[in-house]
Amino acid sequence: MPDPQLVLAARVQAALAAAFGPSHADDDPVIRPSQFADLQANVALPMAKKLGRKPRDVANEIVANLDVADVVSKVEVSGPGFVNLTLADGWIAAEAQRALEDPRLAVPEAERPQKVVVEYSSPNVAKEMHVGHLRTTIVGDAIARILEFLGHDVVRDNHVGDWGTPFGMLIEHLLDLGEDAAARGDSSVSDLTAFYQAARQKFDADPAFAERSRNRVVALQAGDPETLRLWQVLVDVSKRYFNAVYTRLGVTLTDDDIKGESFYNDLLAPTVAELEDKGIAVVSDGALCAFPPGFTGREGEPLPVIIRKSDGGYNYSTTDLATVRYRVDTEHVDRMIYVVGAPQALHFQMMFAVARMAGWLGDEVEAEHAQIGNVLGTDGKILKTRAGGTVKLAELLDEAVERAGAAFDQIEHVEEFDDAARARIVEAVGMGAVKYADLSVARDSEYIFDFDRMISFNGKTGPYLQYAAARIRSIFRRGGVAPEDATGPIVLGDPAERALALTLLGFGAALEQAGATAEPHKLATYVYSVADAYTTFYENCPVLKAPDDATKASRLALCAATLRTLETGLHLLGVPTPERM
Ligand SMILES: NC(=[NH2+])NCCC[C@H](N)C(=O)O
């Protein structure tokens, strides 16, 4: 869908080149939405400064060279030298029609498709996923979906924390409980939080257990087959639990997307060797460290990235460096997006800096930490249960659905749905509410997890948007027309029709921006603006009772284009859209 802003930017640049010389063909035309017209080009002011001329004269000269008759109905110079541009109704209608007829809603695929690793979710084995993981899972999944839709080759990567010293105590605790407890799905094992805490308690209280645990770590690292088998039992129990959460959330991660930390075990030594060969890793206080330039501590002392501890063990950073190296050398990726909590920002900055020193990252390969802000409770503190513990994800999702049910039962026509239909809708509303709440806030800001707000059918919420889409479907049902058969032609008369069509044309730009910056909230905000423009349209423009057949056909086509934009946008956010509700 050609974003009007981009179309006009190109035209203004052509006018700049014609008026002031070809060197200005790439100048920023400073196109902005305006309250006086659809868009405003504000380039005359900076240009006048450069040329030492009056802004208004420059603006007039731009206009004299501007070739926009096919796109714009009115051009006007105002104020000190703004160029006001009003799009032609015919152009908007034709572009909306083109979107309607295109399965991709006229969203172009990327000119230069990239291979992009989107790393997200990344929970830890034998630990319950918490709301922080919930948010990286939801945001990461939306990023992956958006980039895929834009035509990139997306590799989903679930960097599960499945290795490290805690596995010693976890394996010993599993042996104490009896392995069949895991096979039976006994809650002493499947309740991951309880399992982890019990192991931890024994480790702290019982020196003999602690000793066994330490020996077990040694056996694990030495690759003892029986120990590895027990480790795998724990990994499998956790995977089952993660998958249950993913399925419920409609998250597109599968077992094939898991490359846990253990995946890189064999690559750690060669990675470290390369860092040593290149003189990047040096011994400091017995440990092997890299000192990326520009990172200093409180006293100005250089901060280390510890590559190998003095006891010979590798670190979290080492695994991450091996991961970068593997993705560059073996997977040949162009871009890596790490959807991980904001508290790990320094870790990623320093780790990327070391990878750049090693030549793994550079202009050719970009890596970015897509930071995720904390999830707070309504008291403004990090979300905790009433007892002060970590909130369990499964319970949180159950509560979302329960509350969605209560909200849904307030809808007047609720008796139209049988129990099975109601259950499906309520599940979708609960998940949609949680997901949209997560996605509508800039991912790096903290946000307050507030059931009352997110489950409302009013306001900037998932349920509101789901309901908006379902209401459009119900118009088609009542009119006895299938949305696919509403082919227009789109003609714009009422200002609300025009405003809706213009909003629909912004889909491509919203996706493009969301993908470029890995910020799904830009799409979430856009989808809301579509529902908003639709509401104004619906209040002002009768559809089934339109004054004549041509108007009815045009309005049904606008409804169809809106429906597809809403459903596609919500789908790319991972928010389910029940056909009826
Ligand atoms: N490549 C990475 N370090 N990814 C982030 C992993 C997140 C880690 N497992 C955690 O739960 O905090």
Side-chain angles (χ1 to χ4, degrees), residues 102-411:
D102 181 341
R104 290 182 54 80
L105 288 156
V107 176
E109 295 203 42
E111 271 167 43
R112 263 166 293 153
Q114 291 184 309
K115 183 160 184 185
V116 189
V117 169
V118 184
E119 193 201 287
Y120 63 106
S121 195
S122 310
N124 300 313
V125 163
K127 271 199 186 172
E128 185 89 28
M129 287 169 85
H130 54 72
V131 274
H133 290 122
L134 175 67
R135 201 171 180 205
T136 78
T137 303
I138 290 172
V139 173
D141 207 49
I143 294 172
R145 287 167 183 252
I146 290 168
L147 290 172
E148 213 157 46
F149 186 80
L150 288 171
H152 297 290
D153 175 7
V154 172
V155 180
R156 290 169 173 74
D157 193 336
N158 192 354
H159 193 80
V160 170
D162 62 357
W163 200 253
T165 45
F167 281 94
M169 67 177 194
L170 295 170
I171 290 171
E172 288 304 320
H173 182 49
L174 177 66
L175 286 172
D176 288 358
L177 290 174
E179 244 190 274
D180 48 330
R184 278 198 315 272
D186 195 286
S187 68
S188 61
V189 183
S190 66
D191 181 337
L192 298 173
T193 308
F195 180 82
Y196 192 93
Q197 279 168 358
R200 178 94 251 165
Q201 259 159 26
K202 276 203 286 188
F203 187 88
D204 292 340
D206 176 354
F209 180 83
E211 183 58 25
R212 263 159 61 201
S213 302
R214 275 190 287 271
N215 292 336
R216 190 56 82 174
V217 176
V218 175
L220 181 67
Q221 272 158 357
D224 168 52
E226 174 62 6
T227 303
L228 281 174
R229 193 185 62 74
L230 292 163
W231 166 80
Q232 191 65 51
V233 170
L234 289 175
V235 171
D236 290 344
V237 171
S238 297
K239 274 194 198 169
R240 251 179 280 153
Y241 166 76
F242 302 151
N243 283 335
V245 172
Y246 298 150
T247 306
R248 183 155 197 205
L249 283 169
V251 162
T252 56
L253 285 171
T254 67
D255 275 355
D256 292 343
D257 300 318
I258 296 183
K259 273 196 214 66
E261 293 180 19
S262 65
F263 178 86
Y264 302 96
N265 282 350
D266 292 344
L267 302 174
L268 296 173
T271 301
V272 172
E274 187 176 335
L275 290 170
E276 281 183 295
D277 286 350
K278 291 184 168 163
I280 297 163
V282 294
V283 179
S284 168
D285 287 336
L288 193 63
C289 304
F291 294 92
F295 294 91
T296 45
R298 224 167 275 159
E299 320 272 279
E301 75 283 9
L303 283 182
V305 172
I306 299 177
I307 308 285
R308 195 173 56 216
K309 292 180 279 191
S310 46
D311 67 4
Y314 297 116
N315 247 344
Y316 185 56
S317 297
T318 323
T319 307
D320 265 329
L321 286 164
T323 307
V324 170
R325 185 171 170 267
Y326 174 81
R327 287 178 184 159
V328 173
D329 288 353
T330 309
E331 297 192 305
H332 304 293
V333 309
D334 302 305
R335 182 179 178 194
M336 314 175 202
I337 303 174
Y338 291 77
V339 188
V340 182
Q344 296 195 33
L346 185 63
H347 159 74
F348 281 111
Q349 281 163 21
M350 295 182 73
M351 190 273 285
F352 291 158
V354 175
R356 247 175 254 122
M357 291 164 80
W360 301 325
L361 294 177
D363 296 339
E364 312 275 285
V365 186
E366 345 161 28
E368 65 209 81
H369 175 200
Q371 299 189 26
I372 301 298
N374 285 325
V375 182
L376 308 178
T378 41
D379 58 359
K381 304 210 181 89
I382 299 237
L383 192 65
K384 291 262 152 71
T385 58
R386 256 175 248 128
T390 315
V391 176
K392 285 189 194 163
L393 215 56
E395 287 169 14
L396 193 85
L397 297 179
D398 284 342
E399 185 171 349
V401 172
E402 196 181 301
R403 287 174 179 253
F408 184 67
D409 291 342
Q410 305 297 312
I411 293 184

Side-chain angles (χ1 to χ4, degrees), residues 437-469:
D438 244 349
L439 290 163
S440 59
V441 180
R443 60 165 161 69
D444 54 349
S445 324
E446 298 187 321
Y447 95 101
I448 293 182
F449 193 94
D450 179 355
F451 274 126
D452 288 333
R453 201 163 45 189
M454 69 176 78
I455 290 176
S456 166
F457 281 91
N458 294 305
K460 221 181 155 188
T461 67
Y464 167 73
L465 295 167
Q466 292 172 313
Y467 196 44

